[in-house]
Amino acid sequence: MRRSLRLPTLFTALVAACATANAAPPIILDNARVFDGERDLGITTLTLRDERIAHIGPPPPALAKGAKRIDYQGKVILPGLVSNHIHVGNTDGLEHGDRFYTRDHVLRDLQQFQRYGITTVTALGMNGAAFTTIRAEVRDQPTLGAQLYGAGGGIGAAAGAPPAKTMGLEHDPVSRPTTPDQARAAVRAQQQAGVDVIKLWVDDLGGRFPMMAPPIYRAAIDEAHQHQLKVAAHIHDQAPAADLVEAGVDIIAHGIRDTPVAPALVSAMRDKGVWYIPTVNIDEANYLYAENPQWLQQPFVANALPAAVRERWQQPQWQKAQLAGDGIPKARAAVAMNLRNLRTLHEAGVNIGFGTDAGAMPQRVIGVAEHRELELMTQAGFTPAQALQVATADAARLLGLDDRGRIAVGRRADLLVLGANPLQDIRNSRRIDAVWQAGQQVAGPIEAEAGTAARD
C-alpha cells in the first residue's frame, strides 16, 4: 500500500520540479514611471512572473535571481486600457455588415485593439454565432489579440434599432422581441449561450424607426437581473435614458446628446450606481478625418487604416463632400452636448465607463478612437490622470473584473508602455513603445510600423 501511494507522490514531485525548471524566468521592468490606474507611483520597478505582477519596487533576491531585465528608463507604464463599448468583425475596408463576422476579421480587429494598447474589450452587440468560440480561443492565447467580452447579438427593436438594412445585417444576429415574454426568452437564450452582458437598443434614430417599447425593455432588464447579468442600453436622447434608469438599467452605453441632462436624472444615476459610457468620438468621427486630413500622414493614424479607407480619405473631393453633408451640423451639436453632459455627470460623481463604438463603422477607427476619446474627456474637465483611471481601473470595475485595470501585485500583467508622460499631456498616450498582455510583450512601437501602415 505504501508503494502504491509513494509512486504517485514521487511522480508528482518530479513533474513539479520539471515544471519549475522549465518555467519562464521572471521579467523585471526597470526605471519606468508607473501610473497604477489610480495614482502615479513615480519611478519604480515591476517584476512579472508568469501572467501576473509579482512585485512592485526593488525585487527580492528570490525573484531577481535569473530574471530577465528590461530597462525602461524614460518610459511610462500604465495598465492596458479597457474598453466597455466596441464592435468587432463588422467592417472590411469601406464596407460594413455582419457578413464580415468571421474568425479572421474578429482576430484582425482584436489584434489592432491590442497594438494600440487596449488589452480588454467588450463587443457590445451584433456579434455572430462564433462569438463564444472566438472569445475562448483568445483568452487562452494572448498573442491572438485583446481579451474579448461581449453581449452576443444583443436585443433590438422589431423593424428598428439597430436597423438591419442600414447596418448591413444580412444574417441579423440581433433578437427582436415584440412582447415582454419574448424579451424574457431572448435574455434566457443569450444567458444560456454565455454572454457577459445584455445589450438593448432603445433609440428611434431621430424618429426614423420604431423604438423598443418600455414593457419590452423592462421585462428584459428584470429577466437579466434574475440571471445576475448587467444590462447596457444604447440610447441617444434623455427621455429614454431617464426611463431606463428608473427601470433599473445598469449601463447607459452612449452619451445623452439631445438636451442638457436634468438634475433629477443626474441624482438617480449617481444614487443607483448606473454607469455612463459617453462615446464622444462616435459623432466626431463623422467629420474628424475630413477636417484634419494631415492626420492621415501620421503613423499613429495611418497604421490603423485599411488601404481603401486611407485612399478615400486622402481625396480632397471626399473631404469637401463629407464636411458639406447634411448630418455634419447635427454631429457637431451632438459632440458639444455630449461633452457638456459628460462634464456635468463627472462633476456629480456618476460612474463613468470607457468606450467609443470603434469597429462598428469604418470611420470609428479601432485604436485611434480610444486615444482620441481620452483627449475628448480632458476637454470635458477630466485631468489626464482621471481620464486614464476611467480607461483602466474604472472600466475594469464596470465589467466586474478584479484581475486587471490596475498595476498591483497579483493582477494580470497587461501593460501599456509609453515613450512620454500622459499625465502631463494626455496626447502622449499615443506614444506607444510596447504592449504587454498576460506577461508577454505582444506589440511594439506604432511609429516603427510607418511605411507598412495601410492594412489590406
Side-chain angles (χ1 to χ4, degrees), residues 40-59:
D40 181 0
L41 302 183
I43 296 174
T44 189
T45 299
L46 301 180
T47 303
L48 317 182
R49 191 169 197 174
D50 300 325
E51 300 181 353
R52 305 281 167 170
I53 297 167
H55 194 78
I56 300 174

Side-chain angles (χ1 to χ4, degrees), residues 79-312:
L81 305 186
V82 177
S83 178
N84 304 128
H85 190 165
I86 59 89
H87 296 275
V88 289
N90 202 58
T91 65
D92 190 34
L94 294 162
E95 301 180 61
H96 66 277
D98 62 0
R99 64 191 181 279
F100 301 123
Y101 201 93
T102 66
R103 177 184 181 276
D104 287 347
H105 281 95
V106 172
L107 293 185
R108 174 207 64 188
D109 291 347
L110 293 175
Q111 287 165 359
Q112 180 150 317
F113 278 115
Q114 186 184 69
R115 286 195 305 129
Y116 280 74
I118 304 102
T119 53
T120 299
V121 297
T122 305
L124 211 51
M126 299 192 298
N127 295 288
F131 164 70
T132 54
T133 301
I134 297 170
R135 180 184 62 182
E137 183 181 3
V138 172
R139 288 185 184 177
D140 288 340
Q141 180 49 262
T143 59
L144 290 179
Q147 281 223 318
L148 177 64
Y149 294 82
I155 299 174
K165 184 175 181 181
T166 303
M167 295 303 298
L169 302 180
E170 297 177 0
H171 308 291
D172 198 3
V174 179
S175 298
R176 300 180 185 272
T178 58
T179 68
D181 285 345
Q182 289 178 3
R184 291 181 181 277
V187 170
R188 289 194 296 271
Q190 293 184 11
Q191 184 268 335
Q192 290 167 8
V195 302
D196 303 294
V197 62
I198 296 295
K199 166 72 176 287
L200 305 175
W201 278 268
V202 186
D203 186 2
D204 64 5
L205 302 175
R208 294 179 291 125
F209 293 92
M211 187 183 293
M212 184 184 293
I216 293 177
Y217 63 67
R218 287 175 176 267
I221 292 169
D222 179 69
E223 188 71 25
H225 288 170
Q226 291 186 38
H227 294 280
Q228 290 74 52
L229 284 170
K230 291 182 178 179
V231 181
H234 165 114
I235 59 91
H236 184 284
D237 297 342
Q238 180 162 197
D243 195 62
L244 283 158
V245 169
E246 193 277 328
V249 78
D250 304 285
I251 304 161
I252 298 296
H254 288 294
I256 295 169
R257 288 161 277 171
D258 61 334
T259 55
V261 63
L265 179 54
V266 176
S267 298
M269 292 179 68
R270 182 186 61 236
D271 295 346
K272 292 187 175 187
V274 175
W275 287 87
Y276 184 82
I277 308 172
T279 65
V280 182
N281 183 256
I282 191 174
D283 294 292
E284 188 194 50
N286 293 329
Y287 56 85
L288 183 65
Y289 301 100
E291 195 167 73
N292 299 279
Q294 71 279 8
W295 287 16
L296 305 177
Q297 308 307 316
Q298 300 172 2
F300 185 81
V301 176
N303 286 327
L305 301 179
V309 171
R310 188 178 184 190
E311 181 180 352
R312 171 73 62 82

Side-chain angles (χ1 to χ4, degrees), residues 347-363:
E347 291 176 349
V350 171
N351 291 324
I352 307 297
F354 186 67
T356 61
D357 212 58
M361 303 286 280
Q363 69 268 29

Side-chain angles (χ1 to χ4, degrees), residues 1-13:
M1 177 66 70
R2 285 183 180 178
R3 181 175 295 175
S4 64
L5 287 175
R6 180 177 176 78
L7 287 174
T9 303
L10 179 58
F11 176 76
T12 301

Side-chain angles (χ1 to χ4, degrees), residues 9-23:
T9 303
L10 179 58
F11 176 76
T12 301
L14 288 171
V15 169
C18 290
T20 301
N22 294 327

Side-chain angles (χ1 to χ4, degrees), residues 27-34 42-46 48 68-78 415-420 432-436 439-445:
I27 299 172
I28 296 175
L29 309 181
D30 273 326
N31 300 320
R33 179 174 293 277
V34 174
I43 296 174
T44 189
T45 299
L46 301 180
L48 317 182
K68 175 184 177 181
R69 303 188 84 106
I70 299 175
D71 188 355
Y72 275 147
Q73 185 173 9
K75 310 298 184 184
V76 177
I77 301 177
L78 55 146
L415 306 171
L416 175 55
V417 183
L418 304 176
I432 296 172
D433 188 79
V435 180
W436 291 71
Q440 302 180 44
Q441 183 175 343
V442 292

